[in-house]
Amino acid sequence: LNEGDRLMATDQWAEARRKYEGALRVVPNDPVAEERMDMVRRVQQDTDQVSVQLNMLSGSLDDQVDALRTIRQTLAQIRQLLPNSQRLAQLRTDTDNRLGGIKSQLQDQARAILGRAENAISVDERLALTNEALKMMELAVELDPSDASISEMMMEARSSASDMTRARQSMERAAALTAQNFDAELSQARSLLAPLVGTYAQDERYRVVVSDLLSRYIERADIALDEGDADEAQSWIEAMREDPFRILGRRSELYQLESEIRRRRTQSRLISLLVALMIVIGLGAVALGTRPTWEAAFFPTET
């Protein structure tokens, strides 16, 4: 038994097992020898299993991480039996190195996916890619919570995902407000969409919502013109020249509205001039008709 213990301490487990078997032949059913046999059998079995799992490690990164976590748990249990084993320590080091390599892969892949997210046009695609990168970073942080760079990158990605979620909600809310087609709701929809111009100008959903809102503004300007209120129509047009409508460019409807407003204002000025001229002519006619009276008043004779 003592010789077996010495061999176990030096990681010579097969030789130690033979010593324990010899002890059992000397004293069959000896509880100490049986306990030693169970220990060495378990250590050999679990260590062989760990070695095979390390050598056969494959699959997705998630699968590899799960397998390596199981290996670490198994090694931790074995090391409770042999805390000073150099062989188990080396297996633990190999496992940690594998985990470190996977952590680096997760970090690199997360960066690559975030780069794709920055170049994506659709807010839905950007959000999906960012969430995918977040899952990888969360897994990397679980592997190494002390890595400040991964934690910082994950916080930035979460902030970006939160901004994109709010942007998508703003688009959905603006679309609902536009559908209600009331002046106050249209103004509110515009205030929701305007801050998103710089980031989501190329997003198809965003452009559709802005286009629908612009159509409502054009309708309002047409109604104002039909009612003869050129000033109100002009105020709607001025709003259409600002964000978020500028991403759509100058549309023919705006040119037509502006031309109609100019025509009506010119017509209004001509009518005003005509009315003023008629008033002057009328006053002149009255003046000629009452000439004797006002001449006597303003230019009296000697008599």
Side-chain angles (χ1 to χ4, degrees):
L1 287 176
N2 290 336
E3 186 66 17
D5 292 343
R6 184 187 67 79
L7 292 170
M8 283 292 293
T10 57
D11 293 335
Q12 301 178 63
W13 301 333
E15 292 80 358
R17 181 172 182 174
R18 284 195 290 270
K19 295 296 183 181
Y20 296 144
E21 289 173 348
L24 282 173
R25 284 195 297 271
V26 174
V27 183
N29 300 324
D30 180 70
V32 176
E34 289 181 345
E35 180 182 356
R36 296 289 199 281
M37 279 294 298
D38 290 340
M39 179 186 69
V40 70
R41 190 182 298 113
R42 177 183 174 188
V43 168
Q44 283 185 304
Q45 181 180 351
D46 290 348
T47 304
D48 291 343
Q49 182 180 357
V50 164
S51 299
V52 170
Q53 288 176 338
L54 280 175
N55 292 328
M56 301 295 293
L57 197 63
S58 62
S60 66
L61 292 179
D62 288 345
D63 294 337
Q64 293 183 43
V65 169
D66 291 339
L68 288 170
R69 284 175 173 168
T70 302
I71 290 173
R72 290 179 69 175
Q73 292 175 357
T74 302
L75 288 173
Q77 294 172 358
I78 302 174
R79 294 195 70 184
Q80 291 179 357
L81 302 174
L82 298 173
N84 298 320
S85 172
Q86 295 300 315
R87 184 176 175 184
L88 294 177
Q90 184 60 47
L91 285 174
R92 175 59 185 265
T93 301
D94 293 343
T95 303
D96 291 342
N97 290 337
R98 290 288 189 92
L99 286 171
I102 292 176
K103 183 197 75 172
S104 298
Q105 292 182 50
L106 288 169
Q107 190 172 6
D108 293 341
Q109 289 188 17
R111 285 198 180 98
I113 293 173
L114 289 177
R116 288 166 51 198
E118 291 179 359
N119 296 325
I121 295 176
S122 168
V123 62
D124 292 331
E125 182 182 1
R126 293 176 66 179
L127 184 58
L129 289 171
T130 302
N131 287 331
E132 182 181 351
L134 270 173
K135 291 180 181 178
M136 294 185 174
M137 286 183 281
E138 289 170 354
L139 187 56
V141 168
E142 289 181 9
L143 294 176
D144 187 4
S146 63
D147 193 328
S149 62
I150 299 179
S151 298
E152 182 179 357
M153 186 169 64
M154 185 175 66
M155 291 178 62
E156 292 176 356
R158 282 178 176 169
S159 177
S160 298
S162 178
D163 291 341
M164 284 182 273
T165 301
R166 286 195 295 270
R168 186 170 63 179
Q169 292 172 349
S170 295
M171 294 179 198
E172 294 171 352
R173 177 61 177 161
L177 291 170
T178 301
Q180 295 181 23
N181 200 22
F182 295 106
D183 290 354
E185 280 70 13
L186 295 179
S187 178
Q188 187 178 354
R190 179 189 164 199
S191 66
L192 288 172
L193 294 172
L196 307 179
V197 169
T199 308
Y200 305 102
Q202 301 303 318
D203 182 85
E204 185 63 27
R205 176 190 293 184
Y206 179 72
R207 296 180 72 87
V208 167
V209 176
V210 172
S211 180
D212 290 343
L213 183 60
L214 179 63
S215 299
R216 305 293 185 179
Y217 271 61
I218 291 173
E219 290 176 3
R220 291 296 193 280
D222 284 334
I223 292 172
L225 284 176
D226 292 341
E227 294 176 351
D229 193 342
D231 291 336
E232 183 180 354
Q234 184 64 39
S235 67
W236 287 104
I237 291 177
E238 291 297 331
M240 285 185 272
R241 291 197 182 103
E242 300 175 357
D243 288 334
F245 304 114
R246 285 189 290 191
I247 65 169
L248 301 176
R250 296 283 291 172
R251 298 184 47 170
S252 60
E253 294 92 336
L254 290 181
Y255 286 114
Q256 294 173 2
L257 287 171
E258 291 172 342
S259 298
E260 180 65 18
I261 289 174
R262 286 194 296 269
R263 186 186 68 79
R264 293 198 179 193
R265 285 182 171 174
T266 300
Q267 183 180 9
S268 178
R269 285 194 291 269
L270 289 175
I271 292 173
S272 298
L273 288 174
L274 182 60
V275 170
L277 181 60
M278 292 178 64
I279 291 174
V280 170
I281 292 174
L283 291 175
V286 171
L288 288 175
T290 59
R291 181 175 179 180
T293 302
W294 57 264
E295 276 191 343
F298 289 100
F299 305 104
T301 62
E302 295 180 355
T303 60

PDB file of all heavy atoms in Angstrom, residues 86 206 224:
ATOM      1  N   GLN A  86       1.192  16.483 -11.070  1.00  0.00           N
ATOM      2  CA  GLN A  86       1.695  17.306 -12.158  1.00  0.00           C
ATOM      3  C   GLN A  86       0.964  16.995 -13.467  1.00  0.00           C
ATOM      4  O   GLN A  86       0.747  17.876 -14.296  1.00  0.00           O
ATOM      5  CB  GLN A  86       3.201  17.077 -12.330  1.00  0.00           C
ATOM      6  CG  GLN A  86       4.044  17.530 -11.143  1.00  0.00           C
ATOM      7  CD  GLN A  86       3.882  19.026 -10.889  1.00  0.00           C
ATOM      8  OE1 GLN A  86       3.906  19.831 -11.824  1.00  0.00           O
ATOM      9  NE2 GLN A  86       3.728  19.388  -9.620  1.00  0.00           N
ATOM     10  N   TYR A 206     -37.322  52.871 -42.931  1.00  0.00           N
ATOM     11  CA  TYR A 206     -37.297  54.285 -42.559  1.00  0.00           C
ATOM     12  C   TYR A 206     -37.733  55.158 -43.730  1.00  0.00           C
ATOM     13  O   TYR A 206     -38.542  56.083 -43.566  1.00  0.00           O
ATOM     14  CB  TYR A 206     -35.886  54.654 -42.105  1.00  0.00           C
ATOM     15  CG  TYR A 206     -35.721  56.103 -41.704  1.00  0.00           C
ATOM     16  CD1 TYR A 206     -36.269  56.591 -40.529  1.00  0.00           C
ATOM     17  CD2 TYR A 206     -35.001  56.973 -42.515  1.00  0.00           C
ATOM     18  CE1 TYR A 206     -36.126  57.916 -40.164  1.00  0.00           C
ATOM     19  CE2 TYR A 206     -34.851  58.303 -42.152  1.00  0.00           C
ATOM     20  CZ  TYR A 206     -35.404  58.770 -40.985  1.00  0.00           C
ATOM     21  OH  TYR A 206     -35.246  60.083 -40.630  1.00  0.00           O
ATOM     22  N   ALA A 224     -54.827  73.247 -48.033  1.00  0.00           N
ATOM     23  CA  ALA A 224     -54.688  74.672 -47.729  1.00  0.00           C
ATOM     24  C   ALA A 224     -54.828  75.521 -48.992  1.00  0.00           C
ATOM     25  O   ALA A 224     -55.462  76.590 -48.975  1.00  0.00           O
ATOM     26  CB  ALA A 224     -53.347  74.942 -47.048  1.00  0.00           C
TER      27      ALA A 224
END
